[in-house]
Amino acid sequence: MTTTSLDAVTLGKQLNASDISDTAIALLDEKGTVVAWTHTAERLFGYSAGDIFGRSATLVLPSLREATTTSAFVEQCHAENGWSGATAVRHRDGRVLDVSVRITTLRGQDGTTRWLASVTDTAPQSGDAIDSSVRGSLLARAPIAVGIWDLQLRSAYANDVPESYDGLPRDRRLGRRFTEVVPGADAETIEAVMRQVLQNGATQVYDYRTWLPTSQGAEKPFAASFQCLQGADGESLGVCVISVDVLKCRRSRKCLAVLSEAGARLGSALDVMQASQELADLAVPLLADYVSVDLEQSVLFGEGPPVRIGSTGNRLPAFRRAGLASIHQGVPESPWMRGEPVNVPPASPLPAVMLAGKSHLEPVLDTASGTWVDKVPEQAHRVRENGMHSIMVVPIRARRALLGVALFVRTKDPVPFHEADLLLAEELVDRAAHVLDNARQYTRKDTTALALQRALLPHRLRGGTAVEVASRYLPADVDHGVGGDWFDVIPLSGARVALV
């Protein structure tokens, strides 16, 4: 075999688009029993391979313990082809850790099933107030390719994701070495890394970066983490390889960064129009190519009762455009500018979103005859003209009140929206909703104060023949718009007046 240099292998965490090098790995059999352990799992949980091998994964994974039975959880994983989510686990020394857990289904050549439990510490960094469930979901939903290779470097178990990378089905991999499946210098380098990991017992975790041909013919950068799987006595059983799309992981990181920034940027606004525009600006271009934010009219003007979720009836509330952002100059996607009234087509998804208070995800926007887009001719023209192909509609709600609706659209970005995108959009909108609700309360109080000022002003002023009189209300507290004194004028005899 040709000797392959490991210069292409990057040690440590230089590929910081992914945290796969810090992911704790455990291999479980069909009953949820630990059949292989890793050094990263030992570092995260404090249990050695000898402590955990042959025991139920409920020792470290409370998700299994909270299920009715372990077998019921396994059945759920079978039905959903795995499981992912955020949870809290307890270290051997008693510390509680916030983690993201992903259980991936792996299938072998003989039809057997294994579960790969990958656990990542999601403790927020200093000043980072992102909810752990949101952080965990964003990181866990990114597709990862997983493979288990035996001591002879033959593929023993794999999931379905690698096929999306290079177009090769799982059956073509199982029982074969990597160099037999994808010949070339990259494959030889990967096998060299595997041998080194087996020899060193995974004392180091490697990140490998390469550009693999995908089934669509394009080339993308990937990162791969290699970890040695250990048995009860710490002996090497094989190698676990986890590969991720670097660009998608980088995008997830950017999404988390935006969520961290959102609190500071949105929280400073006490004006509903400003807060709406901040929301649109945050989402473009990171999440969408075009975003509009429409607010219910009472939110804008602070007058009238709030619209309750589910009580819109046949008559839709009045909306005005409050926020707009686009990757295109002049926002050609929007027929309305900020401050203008918005027409809500009854055939569109918006009425259903308002009624149920739940988001609408349409990964592929169907513009064929008979669809809702086709039933709104003016909208259909803009959809086709601007290449709108994927949308999300998220209600802006607070305390059962419907504040507005946010629309997220992709035009230039060819990738359709998916569930992880909707999760991020809902989190952004939820943060904006709290700010908008505060701004709405401020606007209502300010409107009430202005009405009080008008009521306090004398309706008729008479200065007699001595003086000409005018009135003005000037609040003592400018920030809150209240306070101060008011004066009246009383005509007296002898061309005199009394000022009160």
Side-chain angles (χ1 to χ4, degrees):
M1 173 180 291
T2 304
T3 303
T4 304
S5 170
L6 296 183
D7 292 341
V9 176
T10 306
L11 297 180
K13 295 189 64 179
Q14 294 180 26
L15 286 174
N16 55 12
S18 170
D19 278 343
I20 54 176
S21 59
D22 288 335
T23 300
I25 299 298
L27 190 63
L28 317 177
D29 65 12
E30 290 183 311
K31 296 181 179 179
T33 302
V34 176
V35 294
W37 198 242
T38 59
H39 279 299
T40 50
E42 182 176 349
R43 286 200 302 269
L44 182 62
F45 295 107
Y47 292 93
S48 67
D51 298 327
I52 199 74
F53 188 87
R55 302 179 67 177
S56 172
T58 56
L59 183 65
V60 292
L61 296 177
S63 301
L64 276 73
R65 189 185 307 120
E66 292 169 2
T68 308
T69 62
T70 302
S71 60
F73 185 84
V74 170
E75 287 301 319
Q76 177 186 346
C77 290
H78 271 298
E80 300 178 4
N81 201 31
W83 182 87
S84 65
T87 186
V89 298
R90 189 173 295 277
H91 190 274
R92 189 174 185 176
D93 62 11
R95 287 182 290 125
V96 176
L97 307 173
D98 290 324
V99 298
S100 171
V101 180
R102 183 201 292 255
I103 298 180
T104 305
T105 308
L106 305 179
R107 306 199 187 279
Q109 191 174 11
D110 56 358
T112 57
T113 299
R114 291 290 183 269
W115 307 101
L116 186 88
S118 50
V119 185
T120 306
D121 188 352
T122 58
Q125 303 297 318
S126 177
D128 188 355
I130 300 174
D131 185 81
S132 62
S133 63
V134 176
R135 174 187 295 273
S137 297
L138 282 173
L139 296 179
R141 294 188 186 196
I144 61 173
V146 180
I148 303 295
W149 309 81
D150 63 19
L151 296 176
Q152 286 73 44
L153 304 186
R154 294 189 301 261
S155 175
Y157 294 93
N159 67 347
D160 295 327
V161 175
E163 183 174 352
S164 66
Y165 288 178
D166 53 28
L168 298 175
R170 182 171 49 215
D171 293 343
R172 288 273 302 276
R173 305 174 190 277
L174 294 175
R176 295 180 175 89
R177 293 175 53 164
F178 202 90
T179 50
E180 296 172 338
V181 177
V182 188
D186 287 342
E188 293 178 2
T189 302
I190 289 176
E191 287 200 351
V193 174
M194 289 181 183
R195 282 192 294 271
Q196 193 172 91
V197 168
L198 286 173
Q199 291 169 4
N200 295 340
T203 55
Q204 292 179 305
V205 176
Y206 298 92
D207 284 343
Y208 175 79
R209 183 173 182 171
T210 186
W211 279 260
L212 297 177
T214 66
S215 57
Q216 288 76 30
E219 289 185 341
K220 295 181 180 180
F222 294 92
S225 173
F226 302 80
Q227 295 196 41
C228 182
L229 297 172
Q230 296 179 314
D233 300 326
E235 76 278 12
S236 298
L237 301 179
V239 179
C240 174
V241 181
I242 297 180
S243 303
V244 297
D245 186 323
V246 171
L247 297 180
K248 288 184 178 179
C249 285
R250 190 174 298 153
R251 184 167 189 150
S252 295
R253 288 297 174 194
K254 286 182 179 179
C255 290
L256 290 173
V258 166
L259 287 180
S260 296
E261 184 186 359
R265 287 183 59 178
L266 292 172
S268 61
L270 266 181
D271 179 84
V272 292
M273 292 290 287
Q274 179 186 342
S276 300
Q277 187 58 43
E278 289 281 8
L279 171 59
D281 290 337
L282 277 168
V284 175
L286 176 68
L287 179 60
D289 298 324
Y290 161 65
V291 171
S292 65
V293 180
D294 299 331
L295 295 184
E296 196 271 320
Q297 201 153 261
S298 69
V299 178
L300 279 168
F301 300 113
E303 299 175 350
V307 175
R308 296 296 176 184
I309 299 290
S311 63
T312 58
N314 295 326
R315 186 176 180 180
L316 295 175
F319 284 86
R320 286 183 180 266
R321 187 129 295 174
L324 270 179
S326 171
I327 61 172
H328 299 110
Q329 190 74 22
V331 198
E333 303 93 336
S334 176
W336 302 284
M337 293 296 101
R338 295 183 67 209
E340 294 182 348
V342 173
N343 175 39
V344 180
S348 74
L350 272 70
V353 169
M354 297 173 195
L355 181 64
K358 294 182 179 179
S359 302
H360 172 81
L361 170 63
E362 202 163 338
V364 179
L365 188 58
D366 191 355
T367 60
S369 177
T371 61
W372 74 264
V373 175
D374 184 60
K375 294 176 182 178
V376 188
E378 64 276 12
Q379 186 68 37
H381 172 71
R382 288 187 178 270
V383 166
R384 297 187 180 97
E385 187 178 58
N386 294 283
M388 302 182 188
H389 64 87
S390 187
I391 68 167
M392 297 184 294
V393 185
V394 181
I396 307 172
R397 56 186 187 269
R399 295 183 289 183
R400 293 293 299 166
L402 179 68
L403 306 183
V405 179
L407 172 67
F408 301 82
V409 181
R410 278 188 177 160
T411 56
K412 186 177 180 181
D413 187 344
V415 180
F417 286 124
H418 49 83
E419 292 293 338
D421 295 314
L422 182 61
L423 179 76
L424 175 61
E426 289 177 334
E427 179 65 15
L428 276 175
V429 169
D430 183 60
R431 290 171 182 238
H434 290 296
V435 177
L436 285 167
D437 189 43
N438 290 336
R440 177 177 68 101
Q441 297 296 328
Y442 174 83
T443 302
R444 291 178 69 86
K445 290 178 181 178
D446 188 55
T447 302
T448 302
L450 289 173
L452 176 62
Q453 293 170 15
R454 289 192 295 268
L456 288 174
L457 289 176
H459 297 290
R460 292 181 60 193
L461 293 171
R462 294 180 300 165
T465 59
V467 293
E468 291 183 3
V469 182
S471 65
R472 178 188 180 191
Y473 190 97
L474 184 63
D477 185 345
V478 178
D479 291 333
H480 295 90
V482 294
D485 301 314
W486 64 275
F487 296 82
D488 201 357
V489 180
I490 303 174
L492 301 176
S493 61
R496 296 174 301 159
V497 294
L499 301 179
V500 181

